[in-house]
Coordinates of all heavy atoms in Angstrom, one line a residue:
Chain F
K21 N 17.0 -8.8 -2.6 CA 18.4 -8.8 -2.2 C 19.5 -8.8 -3.3 O 20.4 -8.0 -3.2 CB 18.7 -10.0 -1.2 CG 18.0 -9.9 0.1 CD 18.3 -11.1 0.9 CE 17.7 -10.9 2.3 NZ 17.7 -12.1 3.2
K57 N -13.2 -9.0 -7.8 CA -14.2 -9.7 -7.0 C -15.3 -8.9 -6.5 O -16.3 -9.4 -6.1 CB -13.4 -10.4 -5.7 CG -12.7 -11.6 -5.9 CD -12.4 -12.1 -4.6 CE -11.4 -13.3 -4.7 NZ -11.0 -13.8 -3.2
T59 N -16.4 -5.9 -8.2 CA -17.2 -5.4 -9.4 C -16.3 -5.6 -10.7 O -15.0 -5.5 -10.6 CB -17.7 -4.0 -9.0 OG1 -18.1 -3.5 -10.5 CG2 -16.6 -3.1 -8.6
D63 N -14.4 1.4 -9.4 CA -14.2 2.9 -9.4 C -12.8 3.2 -9.7 O -11.8 2.6 -9.0 CB -14.6 3.5 -8.1 CG -14.4 5.0 -8.1 OD1 -15.3 5.7 -8.7 OD2 -13.6 5.4 -7.3
R65 N -10.8 5.9 -9.4 CA -10.0 6.6 -8.3 C -9.6 5.6 -7.2 O -8.4 5.5 -6.9 CB -10.9 7.7 -7.7 CG -10.1 8.4 -6.5 CD -11.0 9.1 -5.6 NE -10.3 10.0 -4.6 CZ -9.8 9.4 -3.5 NH1 -10.2 8.1 -3.1 NH2 -9.2 10.1 -2.6
E66 N -10.5 4.7 -6.9 CA -10.2 3.8 -5.8 C -9.2 2.7 -6.3 O -8.3 2.2 -5.6 CB -11.5 3.2 -5.2 CG -12.4 4.2 -4.5 CD -11.8 5.0 -3.4 OE1 -10.8 4.5 -2.7 OE2 -12.2 6.1 -3.3
K87 N 19.4 -0.7 4.0 CA 19.7 -0.2 5.3 C 20.3 -1.3 6.1 O 21.3 -1.1 6.9 CB 18.4 0.4 6.0 CG 18.0 1.8 5.6 CD 17.7 2.5 6.8 CE 18.4 3.8 6.7 NZ 18.1 4.7 7.9
D88 N 19.7 -2.4 6.0 CA 20.2 -3.7 6.7 C 21.6 -4.0 6.3 O 22.5 -4.5 7.1 CB 19.3 -4.7 6.4 CG 19.7 -6.0 7.4 OD1 19.8 -5.7 8.6 OD2 19.9 -7.1 6.9
V94 N 16.4 5.5 1.5 CA 15.1 6.0 2.0 C 14.0 5.8 0.9 O 14.4 5.9 -0.3 CB 15.2 7.5 2.5 CG1 15.6 8.3 1.2 CG2 13.9 8.0 3.0
S95 N 12.9 5.3 1.2 CA 11.9 5.1 0.2 C 10.9 6.2 0.1 O 10.7 6.8 1.2 CB 11.0 3.8 0.4 OG 10.1 4.0 1.5
Y99 N 3.7 11.0 -3.4 CA 3.3 12.2 -2.6 C 4.5 12.8 -2.0 O 4.7 14.0 -2.0 CB 2.6 11.6 -1.3 CG 1.0 12.0 -1.3 CD1 0.1 10.9 -1.5 CD2 0.5 13.3 -1.2 CE1 -1.3 11.2 -1.6 CE2 -0.8 13.5 -1.4 CZ -1.7 12.5 -1.5 OH -3.0 12.7 -1.5
Q100 N 5.4 11.9 -1.7 CA 6.5 12.5 -0.8 C 7.5 13.3 -1.8 O 8.3 14.2 -1.4 CB 7.3 11.4 -0.1 CG 6.4 10.9 1.0 CD 7.0 9.6 1.7 OE1 7.4 8.7 1.1 NE2 6.9 9.7 3.0
K121 N 13.0 17.3 -2.6 CA 13.2 16.2 -1.6 C 14.2 15.3 -2.1 O 15.0 14.8 -1.3 CB 11.7 15.5 -1.4 CG 11.8 14.6 -0.3 CD 10.5 14.7 0.6 CE 10.7 14.0 1.9 NZ 9.6 14.3 2.8
E143 N -6.3 17.3 -7.3 CA -7.2 17.1 -6.1 C -6.6 16.4 -5.0 O -7.2 16.3 -4.0 CB -8.4 16.3 -6.5 CG -9.3 17.1 -7.5 CD -8.9 17.2 -8.8 OE1 -8.5 16.1 -9.4 OE2 -9.0 18.3 -9.6
G144 N -5.2 16.0 -5.1 CA -4.6 15.2 -4.1 C -5.0 13.8 -4.1 O -4.5 13.0 -3.2
Chain S
K49 N -18.2 -6.7 1.8 CA -19.4 -6.4 1.4 C -20.5 -6.3 2.5 O -21.3 -5.5 2.4 CB -19.8 -7.5 0.3 CG -19.1 -7.3 -1.0 CD -19.6 -8.4 -2.0 CE -18.8 -8.2 -3.4 NZ -19.1 -9.2 -4.4
K85 N 11.9 -11.5 6.7 CA 12.6 -12.3 5.7 C 14.0 -11.5 5.4 O 15.0 -12.1 5.0 CB 11.9 -12.6 4.5 CG 10.9 -13.8 4.6 CD 10.6 -14.2 3.2 CE 9.4 -15.1 3.1 NZ 9.0 -15.4 1.7
T87 N 15.4 -9.0 7.5 CA 16.3 -8.8 8.6 C 15.3 -8.9 9.9 O 14.1 -8.6 9.9 CB 16.9 -7.4 8.6 OG1 17.4 -7.1 9.9 CG2 15.9 -6.3 8.2
D91 N 14.4 -1.6 9.4 CA 14.5 -0.2 9.8 C 13.0 0.4 10.0 O 12.0 0.0 9.2 CB 14.9 0.5 8.3 CG 15.0 2.0 8.5 OD1 15.9 2.5 9.3 OD2 14.2 2.7 7.9
R93 N 11.5 3.3 9.9 CA 10.8 4.2 9.0 C 10.2 3.4 7.9 O 9.1 3.6 7.4 CB 11.8 5.3 8.4 CG 11.1 6.1 7.4 CD 12.2 6.9 6.6 NE 11.5 7.8 5.7 CZ 11.2 7.5 4.4 NH1 11.2 6.3 4.0 NH2 10.5 8.5 3.7
E94 N 11.0 2.5 7.3 CA 10.6 1.7 6.2 C 9.5 0.7 6.6 O 8.6 0.3 5.7 CB 11.8 0.9 5.5 CG 12.8 1.9 5.0 CD 12.3 2.9 4.0 OE1 11.3 2.7 3.3 OE2 12.9 4.1 3.9
K115 N -19.2 2.4 -3.8 CA -19.4 3.1 -5.0 C -20.2 2.2 -6.0 O -21.1 2.5 -6.7 CB -18.1 3.5 -5.7 CG -17.6 4.7 -5.1 CD -17.1 5.7 -6.2 CE -17.6 7.0 -6.0 NZ -17.2 8.0 -7.1
D116 N -19.9 0.9 -5.9 CA -20.5 -0.1 -6.8 C -21.8 -0.3 -6.5 O -22.8 -0.7 -7.2 CB -19.6 -1.4 -6.7 CG -20.2 -2.4 -7.7 OD1 -20.2 -2.1 -9.0 OD2 -20.6 -3.5 -7.4
V122 N -15.5 7.8 -0.7 CA -14.0 8.1 -1.1 C -13.1 7.6 -0.1 O -13.4 7.8 1.2 CB -14.0 9.7 -1.4 CG1 -14.3 10.5 -0.1 CG2 -12.7 10.0 -2.0
S123 N -12.1 7.1 -0.4 CA -11.1 6.6 0.6 C -9.9 7.6 0.8 O -9.5 8.3 -0.3 CB -10.4 5.3 0.1 OG -9.5 5.5 -0.9
Y127 N -2.1 10.9 4.8 CA -1.6 12.1 4.0 C -2.7 13.0 3.5 O -2.7 14.2 3.7 CB -0.8 11.6 2.7 CG 0.7 11.7 2.8 CD1 1.4 10.7 2.8 CD2 1.3 13.0 2.8 CE1 2.8 10.7 2.9 CE2 2.7 13.1 2.8 CZ 3.4 12.0 2.9 OH 4.8 12.0 3.0
Q128 N -3.7 12.4 3.1 CA -4.8 13.1 2.4 C -5.6 13.9 3.4 O -6.1 15.0 3.1 CB -5.6 12.2 1.5 CG -4.8 11.8 0.3 CD -5.5 10.7 -0.5 OE1 -6.1 9.7 0.0 NE2 -5.4 10.8 -1.9
K149 N -10.5 18.5 4.7 CA -10.8 17.7 3.6 C -12.0 16.8 3.9 O -12.9 16.5 3.1 CB -9.6 16.7 3.3 CG -9.7 15.9 2.0 CD -8.4 16.0 1.3 CE -8.6 15.4 -0.1 NZ -7.5 15.6 -1.0
E171 N 8.5 15.3 9.3 CA 9.4 15.2 8.2 C 8.7 14.8 6.8 O 9.3 14.5 5.7 CB 10.5 14.2 8.3 CG 11.6 14.7 9.3 CD 11.1 14.6 10.8 OE1 10.5 13.7 11.1 OE2 11.4 15.7 11.5
G172 N 7.4 14.5 7.0 CA 6.7 14.0 5.9 C 6.7 12.4 5.7 O 6.3 11.9 4.7

Side-chain angles (χ1 to χ4, degrees):
Chain F
K21 288 181 178 174
K57 274 194 192 173
T59 164
D63 181 72
R65 178 192 184 278
E66 299 304 333
K87 281 224 132 184
D88 189 52
V94 63
S95 74
Y99 255 111
Q100 290 172 316
K121 190 137 191 167
E143 287 77 42
Chain S
K49 287 181 179 174
K85 274 195 193 174
T87 165
D91 181 73
R93 177 192 185 276
E94 299 304 332
K115 281 223 132 183
D116 188 53
V122 64
S123 75
Y127 255 111
Q128 291 172 316
K149 190 136 189 166
E171 287 76 42

